[in-house]
Amino acid sequence: MFRKRIAILFIHGFVGGNYDYNNFPNELEVYKNFDVFTFTLPGHDKLIVKNVKFEEWISAAEAQIDFLLDHNYHNIYVIGHSMGGVIASHLASKYKEVKKLVLVAPAFRYFYFKDGKINIKNIEETIKNMPELFKKMGTETVVERIRKTPLATMLEFTKLIDKYAKDCVGITCPTLIIHGTDDTVVPQEGTDFVYKNIGSSNVKLVNIKKVTHDCFRGERNQEIRDIIITFLLKKNKPGKETINI
């Protein structure tokens, strides 16, 4: 039986978790016809993320879509944050049932990843900028995430980007991209990459001032939620658009 309700699937980021969304999934539940689903990527249910391969992250996300299809959801919206944005793009390119896509601070580029290669100089530059990173994201958040990220796991992340970043070319559904101008974790070139290369003819890029990588927990988080909700609820007009607010 075809299910008329819309499934919304959240995919969290690298060394992140469902806590990164704050209570946004709960807020979406109150809207008519939205059934909201979250899950934890392999390895991220432990204090230290290790002994996990990037293929496991992709397989876990595909399993979520397969689960929704098995339960007769044929209108699926996917919201991906950071690395979750890259995974979400892969899903949108593979499954025609993904009807809308939201990429929040999508990590198509990263501080030690550039031009498809691991660059030691980029790592060194990031370390030099750590005081500014601490200031904008909060020392406890940064230290905790670095502490539970072994180099081997970081390398798995770069492998995932290397293999799946170009999947955005195959995306045809309406897509919303959100980037915080104070994001010191994922550079602007990441959102520029997907905006430039995405296959969809219906794309909106919103650059938001005074927003860091933790988009759903900053002072403008409700504003970001409202932008996403409007995109999900309304019929989207074809065309590419960039908005700076």
Short mmCIF file of all heavy atoms in Angstrom, two decimals, residues 152-191:
data_model
loop_
_atom_site.label_atom_id
_atom_site.label_comp_id
_atom_site.label_asym_id
_atom_site.label_seq_id
_atom_site.Cartn_x
_atom_site.Cartn_y
_atom_site.Cartn_z
N ALA A 152 43.13 7.14 12.08
CA ALA A 152 42.59 6.12 11.17
C ALA A 152 41.15 6.43 10.79
O ALA A 152 40.72 6.22 9.65
CB ALA A 152 42.69 4.74 11.82
N THR A 153 40.39 6.95 11.77
CA THR A 153 38.99 7.29 11.50
C THR A 153 38.90 8.52 10.60
O THR A 153 38.04 8.60 9.72
CB THR A 153 38.24 7.55 12.81
OG1 THR A 153 38.42 6.43 13.68
CG2 THR A 153 36.75 7.75 12.57
N MET A 154 39.80 9.48 10.82
CA MET A 154 39.84 10.66 9.96
C MET A 154 40.12 10.26 8.51
O MET A 154 39.55 10.81 7.57
CB MET A 154 40.91 11.64 10.44
CG MET A 154 40.61 12.30 11.77
SD MET A 154 41.92 13.49 12.19
CE MET A 154 41.31 14.11 13.76
N LEU A 155 41.02 9.29 8.34
CA LEU A 155 41.35 8.83 7.00
C LEU A 155 40.14 8.18 6.34
O LEU A 155 39.95 8.30 5.12
CB LEU A 155 42.52 7.84 7.07
CG LEU A 155 43.85 8.44 7.53
CD1 LEU A 155 44.92 7.35 7.61
CD2 LEU A 155 44.31 9.55 6.60
N GLU A 156 39.32 7.48 7.11
CA GLU A 156 38.10 6.89 6.56
C GLU A 156 37.16 7.98 6.05
O GLU A 156 36.50 7.82 5.03
CB GLU A 156 37.41 6.01 7.59
CG GLU A 156 38.16 4.73 7.93
CD GLU A 156 38.42 3.85 6.73
OE1 GLU A 156 37.48 3.67 5.91
OE2 GLU A 156 39.55 3.36 6.59
N PHE A 157 37.12 9.07 6.79
CA PHE A 157 36.29 10.20 6.36
C PHE A 157 36.77 10.74 5.02
O PHE A 157 35.97 10.99 4.10
CB PHE A 157 36.31 11.30 7.42
CG PHE A 157 35.72 12.60 6.94
CD1 PHE A 157 34.37 12.72 6.72
CD2 PHE A 157 36.53 13.70 6.71
CE1 PHE A 157 33.82 13.91 6.27
CE2 PHE A 157 36.00 14.88 6.26
CZ PHE A 157 34.64 14.99 6.04
N THR A 158 38.07 10.92 4.86
CA THR A 158 38.60 11.46 3.61
C THR A 158 38.34 10.50 2.45
O THR A 158 38.09 10.93 1.32
CB THR A 158 40.11 11.75 3.71
OG1 THR A 158 40.83 10.54 3.95
CG2 THR A 158 40.39 12.73 4.83
N LYS A 159 38.38 9.20 2.73
CA LYS A 159 38.09 8.22 1.69
C LYS A 159 36.65 8.35 1.23
O LYS A 159 36.34 8.22 0.03
CB LYS A 159 38.35 6.81 2.21
CG LYS A 159 39.82 6.48 2.46
CD LYS A 159 39.95 5.09 3.08
CE LYS A 159 41.39 4.78 3.47
NZ LYS A 159 41.50 3.44 4.13
N LEU A 160 35.75 8.57 2.18
CA LEU A 160 34.33 8.73 1.84
C LEU A 160 34.13 9.94 0.94
O LEU A 160 33.43 9.86 -0.08
CB LEU A 160 33.49 8.86 3.11
CG LEU A 160 31.97 8.92 2.91
CD1 LEU A 160 31.25 8.22 4.06
CD2 LEU A 160 31.47 10.37 2.82
N ILE A 161 34.76 11.06 1.30
CA ILE A 161 34.63 12.27 0.49
C ILE A 161 35.20 12.03 -0.90
O ILE A 161 34.60 12.40 -1.92
CB ILE A 161 35.37 13.45 1.15
CG1 ILE A 161 34.83 13.70 2.55
CG2 ILE A 161 35.23 14.72 0.30
CD1 ILE A 161 33.37 14.03 2.61
N ASP A 162 36.36 11.39 -0.96
CA ASP A 162 37.03 11.14 -2.23
C ASP A 162 36.16 10.33 -3.17
O ASP A 162 36.11 10.58 -4.38
CB ASP A 162 38.36 10.40 -1.96
CG ASP A 162 39.22 10.30 -3.20
OD1 ASP A 162 39.14 11.21 -4.06
OD2 ASP A 162 39.99 9.33 -3.32
N LYS A 163 35.43 9.37 -2.61
CA LYS A 163 34.63 8.47 -3.44
C LYS A 163 33.26 9.02 -3.79
O LYS A 163 32.75 8.80 -4.90
CB LYS A 163 34.47 7.12 -2.74
CG LYS A 163 33.72 6.09 -3.59
CD LYS A 163 33.79 4.70 -3.01
CE LYS A 163 33.08 3.70 -3.91
NZ LYS A 163 33.18 2.31 -3.40
N TYR A 164 32.64 9.77 -2.86
CA TYR A 164 31.23 10.12 -3.04
C TYR A 164 30.93 11.59 -3.29
O TYR A 164 29.79 11.94 -3.58
CB TYR A 164 30.42 9.64 -1.83
CG TYR A 164 30.34 8.14 -1.74
CD1 TYR A 164 31.12 7.42 -0.83
CD2 TYR A 164 29.50 7.42 -2.58
CE1 TYR A 164 31.06 6.04 -0.76
CE2 TYR A 164 29.43 6.03 -2.52
CZ TYR A 164 30.22 5.35 -1.61
OH TYR A 164 30.16 3.98 -1.56
N ALA A 165 31.92 12.46 -3.22
CA ALA A 165 31.65 13.90 -3.40
C ALA A 165 31.03 14.20 -4.76
O ALA A 165 30.13 15.04 -4.88
CB ALA A 165 32.93 14.70 -3.22
N LYS A 166 31.47 13.49 -5.78
CA LYS A 166 30.98 13.79 -7.12
C LYS A 166 29.59 13.22 -7.40
O LYS A 166 29.03 13.47 -8.46
CB LYS A 166 31.98 13.25 -8.15
CG LYS A 166 33.32 13.98 -8.13
CD LYS A 166 34.27 13.45 -9.18
CE LYS A 166 35.60 14.19 -9.13
NZ LYS A 166 36.57 13.66 -10.12
N ASP A 167 29.03 12.49 -6.43
CA ASP A 167 27.67 11.98 -6.61
C ASP A 167 26.64 13.10 -6.72
O ASP A 167 25.53 12.88 -7.21
CB ASP A 167 27.28 11.06 -5.45
CG ASP A 167 27.85 9.66 -5.61
OD1 ASP A 167 28.68 9.47 -6.53
OD2 ASP A 167 27.49 8.75 -4.84
N CYS A 168 27.02 14.29 -6.27
CA CYS A 168 26.08 15.43 -6.35
C CYS A 168 25.68 15.73 -7.80
O CYS A 168 24.63 16.32 -8.04
CB CYS A 168 26.67 16.66 -5.68
SG CYS A 168 28.15 17.32 -6.47
N VAL A 169 26.49 15.31 -8.74
CA VAL A 169 26.17 15.52 -10.15
C VAL A 169 24.88 14.79 -10.52
O VAL A 169 24.11 15.25 -11.37
CB VAL A 169 27.33 15.02 -11.05
CG1 VAL A 169 26.95 15.11 -12.53
CG2 VAL A 169 28.59 15.83 -10.78
N GLY A 170 24.61 13.67 -9.85
CA GLY A 170 23.44 12.87 -10.17
C GLY A 170 22.17 13.27 -9.43
O GLY A 170 21.13 12.62 -9.59
N ILE A 171 22.22 14.34 -8.64
CA ILE A 171 21.05 14.77 -7.88
C ILE A 171 20.10 15.56 -8.78
O ILE A 171 20.52 16.47 -9.49
CB ILE A 171 21.47 15.65 -6.69
CG1 ILE A 171 22.30 14.83 -5.70
CG2 ILE A 171 20.24 16.25 -5.99
CD1 ILE A 171 22.95 15.66 -4.62
N THR A 172 18.83 15.21 -8.76
CA THR A 172 17.84 15.92 -9.58
C THR A 172 16.73 16.56 -8.76
O THR A 172 15.95 17.36 -9.29
CB THR A 172 17.21 14.96 -10.60
OG1 THR A 172 16.60 13.87 -9.91
CG2 THR A 172 18.26 14.42 -11.56
N CYS A 173 16.62 16.23 -7.48
CA CYS A 173 15.52 16.76 -6.65
C CYS A 173 15.84 18.17 -6.16
O CYS A 173 17.01 18.60 -6.13
CB CYS A 173 15.27 15.84 -5.46
SG CYS A 173 16.65 15.73 -4.29
N PRO A 174 14.81 18.95 -5.76
CA PRO A 174 15.04 20.27 -5.18
C PRO A 174 15.97 20.18 -3.97
O PRO A 174 15.81 19.29 -3.13
CB PRO A 174 13.63 20.72 -4.76
CG PRO A 174 12.72 19.97 -5.69
CD PRO A 174 13.37 18.64 -5.89
N THR A 175 16.92 21.10 -3.90
CA THR A 175 17.96 21.02 -2.87
C THR A 175 18.18 22.37 -2.20
O THR A 175 18.27 23.40 -2.88
CB THR A 175 19.29 20.54 -3.46
OG1 THR A 175 19.11 19.25 -4.08
CG2 THR A 175 20.36 20.42 -2.40
N LEU A 176 18.26 22.35 -0.88
CA LEU A 176 18.58 23.53 -0.08
C LEU A 176 19.94 23.31 0.56
O LEU A 176 20.19 22.29 1.19
CB LEU A 176 17.53 23.75 1.01
CG LEU A 176 17.84 24.80 2.09
CD1 LEU A 176 17.89 26.21 1.48
CD2 LEU A 176 16.81 24.74 3.21
N ILE A 177 20.84 24.29 0.39
CA ILE A 177 22.18 24.22 0.98
C ILE A 177 22.33 25.38 1.95
O ILE A 177 22.04 26.53 1.61
CB ILE A 177 23.27 24.31 -0.10
CG1 ILE A 177 23.04 23.28 -1.20
CG2 ILE A 177 24.66 24.12 0.52
CD1 ILE A 177 23.91 23.51 -2.43
N ILE A 178 22.78 25.08 3.17
CA ILE A 178 22.96 26.10 4.19
C ILE A 178 24.42 26.14 4.64
O ILE A 178 25.00 25.09 4.96
CB ILE A 178 22.04 25.86 5.39
CG1 ILE A 178 20.58 26.07 4.97
CG2 ILE A 178 22.40 26.78 6.56
CD1 ILE A 178 19.57 25.78 6.07
N HIS A 179 24.99 27.33 4.64
CA HIS A 179 26.37 27.49 5.08
C HIS A 179 26.48 28.66 6.06
O HIS A 179 25.96 29.74 5.81
CB HIS A 179 27.28 27.77 3.88
CG HIS A 179 28.70 28.07 4.27
ND1 HIS A 179 29.60 27.09 4.64
CD2 HIS A 179 29.37 29.25 4.37
CE1 HIS A 179 30.76 27.65 4.93
NE2 HIS A 179 30.65 28.96 4.78
N GLY A 180 27.15 28.43 7.19
CA GLY A 180 27.41 29.50 8.15
C GLY A 180 28.72 30.18 7.82
O GLY A 180 29.75 29.51 7.65
N THR A 181 28.71 31.48 7.73
CA THR A 181 29.93 32.20 7.33
C THR A 181 31.02 32.14 8.39
O THR A 181 32.19 32.43 8.09
CB THR A 181 29.62 33.67 7.01
OG1 THR A 181 29.06 34.31 8.18
CG2 THR A 181 28.61 33.78 5.87
N ASP A 182 30.67 31.75 9.62
CA ASP A 182 31.67 31.60 10.69
C ASP A 182 32.07 30.14 10.89
O ASP A 182 32.65 29.78 11.91
CB ASP A 182 31.14 32.17 12.01
CG ASP A 182 31.17 33.69 12.04
OD1 ASP A 182 31.67 34.29 11.06
OD2 ASP A 182 30.68 34.28 13.02
N ASP A 183 31.76 29.30 9.91
CA ASP A 183 32.11 27.88 10.00
C ASP A 183 33.60 27.71 9.75
O ASP A 183 34.08 27.92 8.63
CB ASP A 183 31.31 27.10 8.95
CG ASP A 183 31.42 25.59 9.14
OD1 ASP A 183 32.41 25.14 9.75
OD2 ASP A 183 30.52 24.88 8.67
N THR A 184 34.35 27.34 10.79
CA THR A 184 35.79 27.14 10.66
C THR A 184 36.14 25.67 10.55
O THR A 184 37.31 25.29 10.58
CB THR A 184 36.53 27.75 11.88
OG1 THR A 184 35.95 27.26 13.08
CG2 THR A 184 36.46 29.26 11.85
N VAL A 185 35.13 24.82 10.44
CA VAL A 185 35.35 23.39 10.29
C VAL A 185 35.23 22.98 8.82
O VAL A 185 36.09 22.29 8.27
CB VAL A 185 34.36 22.59 11.15
CG1 VAL A 185 34.53 21.10 10.93
CG2 VAL A 185 34.56 22.92 12.63
N VAL A 186 34.15 23.39 8.17
CA VAL A 186 33.95 23.13 6.75
C VAL A 186 34.04 24.45 6.00
O VAL A 186 33.24 25.36 6.25
CB VAL A 186 32.58 22.46 6.49
CG1 VAL A 186 32.30 22.38 5.00
CG2 VAL A 186 32.55 21.08 7.12
N PRO A 187 34.98 24.60 5.10
CA PRO A 187 35.18 25.87 4.39
C PRO A 187 34.08 26.15 3.38
O PRO A 187 33.36 25.25 2.94
CB PRO A 187 36.53 25.68 3.70
CG PRO A 187 36.64 24.21 3.50
CD PRO A 187 35.99 23.58 4.71
N GLN A 188 33.99 27.41 2.99
CA GLN A 188 33.02 27.85 2.01
C GLN A 188 33.15 27.06 0.70
O GLN A 188 32.16 26.79 0.02
CB GLN A 188 33.19 29.34 1.72
CG GLN A 188 32.25 29.91 0.67
CD GLN A 188 30.82 30.08 1.16
OE1 GLN A 188 30.60 30.62 2.23
NE2 GLN A 188 29.86 29.62 0.38
N GLU A 189 34.35 26.68 0.35
CA GLU A 189 34.56 25.97 -0.91
C GLU A 189 33.79 24.65 -0.95
O GLU A 189 33.49 24.13 -2.03
CB GLU A 189 36.04 25.71 -1.15
CG GLU A 189 36.71 24.79 -0.15
CD GLU A 189 38.20 24.63 -0.43
OE1 GLU A 189 38.54 23.95 -1.40
OE2 GLU A 189 39.00 25.19 0.35
N GLY A 190 33.45 24.09 0.22
CA GLY A 190 32.66 22.87 0.26
C GLY A 190 31.26 23.09 -0.28
O GLY A 190 30.77 22.32 -1.12
N THR A 191 30.60 24.14 0.20
CA THR A 191 29.25 24.43 -0.29
C THR A 191 29.31 24.95 -1.73
O THR A 191 28.41 24.66 -2.52
CB THR A 191 28.55 25.47 0.61
OG1 THR A 191 29.42 26.60 0.81
CG2 THR A 191 28.23 24.88 1.96
#
